[in-house]
Structure formats: C-alpha cells, structure tokens
Amino acid sequence: MKKIKENKRNTAIPGHPMTETEFKDFIKVGEKGPFMSSNEFRKKFDVWRKGLEK
C-alpha cells in the first residue's frame, strides 16, 4: 500500500506540538481519505503476502 502525504509537516518532532486547530484539521483531512472494508483489506494483504513468498 502507498501512503499519500499532502501535508509536508512532520508531526513526530518532539518539542513542536500541534495547536488544537492544527490537530482538528489533521483529523478532518484523514477522515476524507480512502477507506476499505476489513474483508477488502484482508484480500489485498493476502495477495501482497503471496507475492513476497515467490
């Protein structure tokens, strides 16, 4: 799977906390992203794993 990163801000830097507004905006952007069911994920994961075994 591929992660699409539109936000260039590194949120893992210690000592540089997000403001509450930035955090809420971060959540809203994530909620708009593509989602799949657990069954769909399992199928894609199994195909990926079988590709590694070859």
Side-chain angles (χ1 to χ4, degrees):
M1 285 193 213
K2 181 179 177 184
K3 180 181 175 189
I4 299 172
K5 185 170 184 177
E6 294 176 5
N7 184 356
K8 302 294 182 191
R9 183 168 187 247
N10 186 348
T11 57
I13 299 174
H16 294 76
M18 293 179 144
T19 65
E20 186 176 343
T21 304
E22 287 176 320
F23 180 72
K24 287 179 181 179
D25 291 342
F26 190 73
I27 297 297
K28 286 178 184 177
V29 169
E31 289 175 339
K32 293 178 183 176
F35 291 96
M36 64 180 81
S37 69
S38 59
N39 290 334
E40 185 181 356
F41 172 77
R42 175 57 64 187
K43 288 176 187 175
K44 286 187 176 194
F45 182 77
D46 288 341
V47 168
W48 172 79
R49 186 172 52 187
K50 286 178 184 177
L52 292 177
E53 293 174 355
K54 293 181 181 180

